[in-house]
Amino acid sequence: MEALKLQYINLEQAQNHKQHRTEGLISRSLVVRRGQPFKLTIGFSGPYKRNIDDLILRAKLDGLCFDIPFTLSNKPPKSQWTAYFQQGMVDPIHPYEATVWVVSPATALVGVYQLQLLLRSSSGPHSCRVGPFTLLCNPWCPADSVWLPDESMREEYVKNDFGLLYQGTAKNIIFRPWGFDQYERGVLDICMMLLQVSNEHKKDWKRDYAKRSDPVYISRVVSAMINCNDDCGVLQGNWSEDYNAGVHPSAWTGSGDILRQWVQSHFKPVKYGQCWVFAGVMCTVMRALGIPSRVVTGFNSAHDTNGNLVIEEYYSEAGEKLPQGRDSIWNFHVWVECWMKRGDLGAGFDGWQVLDPTPQERSGGAYRCGPAPVRAVRERRISMPYDIPFIYAEVNADVCVFMVCQGKVLTSTVDTERVGTLICTKSLGSNRPQDITSTYKHCKFIRPSVRSSTAGGLSVGLHLCKVPVIGENITFSVTVTNKENIRKSVRELVNAQEKSYNFSPSHTLWEAQNLIQLAPHESKILKHQISSSQYAALRDNHLVNLAVVLMDVASQERVLASEEFNITSPIIKIRIENEDAIVACNCQVAMVKFTNPFSVAVNGVLTVAGAGLLEDKALFRVVLLKPGETVENAFKFTPKLAGVKMLHANLTMNNNGAVIRGFKTITVLPG
């Protein structure tokens, strides 16, 4: 009798990918999620006799080996690897073919496995290499610690491959499109490599694998690996304004280019990143690993260097903000939230966890932050892991403002409301920001449209007349009030400074002063205007620190009011032919359009990208665009898969490095 042998094994990738919601994840291996059966079809050389022939599946994770026994039941125990034969009629065309279902526990280790089939028949052993499979976390499985009960949340926080990162200020939010790119070529395999080259894996690979069932552990490894401060991480941060040795952080449009460059350079850090780049790349990695993730922006985020929950700011007597002190308030800071159970903390702290890959402080010996339960931050549970005191300070610190002259403090005020003014993320199925401030803070303050301050017999209010727009003059008013029964002579000093989102202001771009006479209890409104030519050299973020000082000439008493605002950029418009009939795998035509609103001619490079829409970016050179002139360019794209996708365009201008953006979400119909 001829010995029974294995003839072939089919990994049934199409069916498995559909059932495991891993369609579109491009990998060199089968991609499945833990806690859910996946299908194999095995071809034998003859009839397989279960009572005579012994079949074993073996899954290898580097040096770890898991023998997967076969059971007769199609409801095997969920706590261990098992396999079972599908019951049913024999296929007459393939009488010696069998369907096998392999089930991993919901706590299985995340990684890239090699699968081998061992057959021990009456004529001896026979083995066959099945091939690799990548095992991910499973937010569709209730037994998995990353389970999300809501399908719309799974669509947004796991499957969605584009997003919007919010910048600017709380009163004037800027939408920055970002491609997470988890379905792009090579990205999933790179995300798995990231775990392999981490310090944890290099130090003790067995311990690293043993802990890879826990998303808490995985998220801490990833948080450290996104920055390169103490390992061979993905990104090198740079806030110096000198980016000649790499790419300006504002020029990145998505995670795919960054991750591929990191691998192609043999794990040398990609230059350069800032907070939104770190957060965007981390969100990509976590979604690719199957851990629900979203990018979060906190406006007026405190960086409290001495941990006393007080941020100190200094102004001159003329209203110029001074670069003193190590504390700072970033106009915005971007981090990540990931959804997971926290069995290590007890009941009540499951759900969204803060993770911040921007290198700021060490946690457990590495530059990483979190995961910290959002609820624990709100309740100030500072003894809980991980890094809750740091995150709490980011959204809750007080601001003490000093006016100084020759080392002497002239006035001081405390603002308990500015830090953590607004915390938001992209809404479910929408491009609008969702306000999640109340999940971090018990009290949510509504910032008044007029910034005012009172000291002694004077009060001052500062009000922007309208949202500032590039190319238009900035208009604002100062309200001065005499609160006493005597006539006052008051000097008004106004100062506007350029600033970066994460630094104190630099040079003064505009200033003015006036001498005002006020009758008892009189108020006056003073109108001011900053012409567009005076702020034309502002950098990419278009941020301004505006301050007004009133001084009682007789008493030398002073009062200060300040406001930081951003100037709205123009947008690139994207128009698509037959927008309601975009079909997967069919070529489409789109048009990008930009009109120069500046008072000077501009040139630069216009880049169009879209995850799942464009294989490569479309590039157009804008040679010389005079004020008021318009440029239009057509390009073609072919959607890979059905669903909601995003096209986004960037115009990087050569004369000042500013980046103008635009985006359009589209619905792709099945082919």
Side-chain angles (χ1 to χ4, degrees), residues 19-22 32-38 76-80 102-108 135-151 153-154 158-159 213 215 289-292 339-341:
Q19 292 183 345
H20 284 249
R21 287 98 170 172
T22 57
V32 293
R33 301 188 187 277
R34 63 188 187 180
Q36 182 177 342
F38 63 91
K78 297 179 180 180
S79 59
Q80 62 189 42
V102 183
V103 187
S104 63
T107 55
L135 190 67
L136 307 176
C137 294
N138 192 352
W140 283 266
C141 175
D144 197 311
S145 53
V146 302
W147 177 60
L148 261 179
D150 185 272
E151 179 59 24
M153 292 178 71
R154 293 191 290 254
V158 182
K159 296 183 71 175
S213 63
L289 296 178
I291 301 173
W339 181 277
M340 63 190 73
K341 294 178 182 177

Side-chain angles (χ1 to χ4, degrees), residues 290-352:
I291 301 173
S293 304
R294 63 188 186 183
V295 178
V296 173
T297 299
F299 290 97
N300 293 335
S301 176
H303 290 252
D304 182 17
T305 56
N306 57 11
N308 64 352
L309 292 181
V310 176
I311 305 297
E312 297 178 345
E313 292 185 339
Y314 297 86
Y315 283 83
S316 74
E317 57 185 331
E320 182 183 16
K321 195 171 185 181
L322 304 172
Q324 295 183 9
R326 294 179 58 217
D327 292 348
S328 64
I329 298 176
W330 292 15
N331 293 93
F332 62 87
H333 180 51
V334 185
W335 60 85
V336 175
E337 286 181 1
C338 295
W339 181 277
M340 63 190 73
K341 294 178 182 177
R342 291 301 300 270
D344 57 323
L345 298 182
F349 294 97
D350 298 340
W352 291 117

Side-chain angles (χ1 to χ4, degrees), residues 27-46:
S27 173
R28 293 188 295 268
S29 69
L30 171 70
V31 184
V32 293
R33 301 188 187 277
R34 63 188 187 180
Q36 182 177 342
F38 63 91
K39 179 181 178 182
L40 302 176
T41 301
I42 305 173
F44 298 97
S45 60

Side-chain angles (χ1 to χ4, degrees), residues 10-120:
N10 187 342
L11 291 173
E12 304 290 355
Q13 290 201 7
Q15 181 178 341
N16 285 323
H17 287 169
K18 183 177 181 179
Q19 292 183 345
H20 284 249
R21 287 98 170 172
T22 57
E23 291 174 296
L25 289 172
I26 302 170
S27 173
R28 293 188 295 268
S29 69
L30 171 70
V31 184
V32 293
R33 301 188 187 277
R34 63 188 187 180
Q36 182 177 342
F38 63 91
K39 179 181 178 182
L40 302 176
T41 301
I42 305 173
F44 298 97
S45 60
Y48 171 72
K49 301 180 177 61
R50 296 179 191 173
N51 56 341
I52 299 175
D53 304 312
D54 186 19
L55 198 62
I56 295 175
L57 277 169
R58 177 169 291 166
K60 291 185 176 180
L61 195 58
D62 283 352
L64 300 179
C65 187
F66 304 90
D67 278 355
I68 304 173
F70 279 77
T71 68
L72 297 176
S73 171
N74 61 1
K75 294 182 179 180
K78 297 179 180 180
S79 59
Q80 62 189 42
W81 286 88
T82 51
Y84 61 90
F85 285 95
Q86 179 173 301
Q87 304 295 322
M89 295 179 63
V90 175
D91 184 349
I93 300 176
H94 304 286
Y96 303 143
E97 188 174 87
T99 297
V100 169
W101 293 92
V102 183
V103 187
S104 63
T107 55
L109 311 179
V110 170
V112 181
Y113 292 76
Q114 294 292 333
L115 193 60
Q116 186 180 19
L117 192 58
L118 307 175
L119 173 65
R120 297 189 183 98

Side-chain angles (χ1 to χ4, degrees), residues 531-538 598-600 656:
S531 69
S532 60
S533 61
Q534 290 172 298
Y535 67 79
L538 283 180
F598 301 99
S599 57
V600 297
N656 61 5

Side-chain angles (χ1 to χ4, degrees), residues 6 18 59 98 118 132 285 292 298 305-306 351 355 367 377 439 531 551 573 609 617 638 644 646 648:
L6 301 167
K18 183 177 181 179
L118 307 175
V285 175
T305 56
N306 57 11
L355 286 142
Y367 279 95
V377 175
T439 65
S531 69
M551 183 185 72
K573 296 181 180 179
K617 294 183 176 69
T638 303
V644 179
M646 177 185 282
H648 48 104

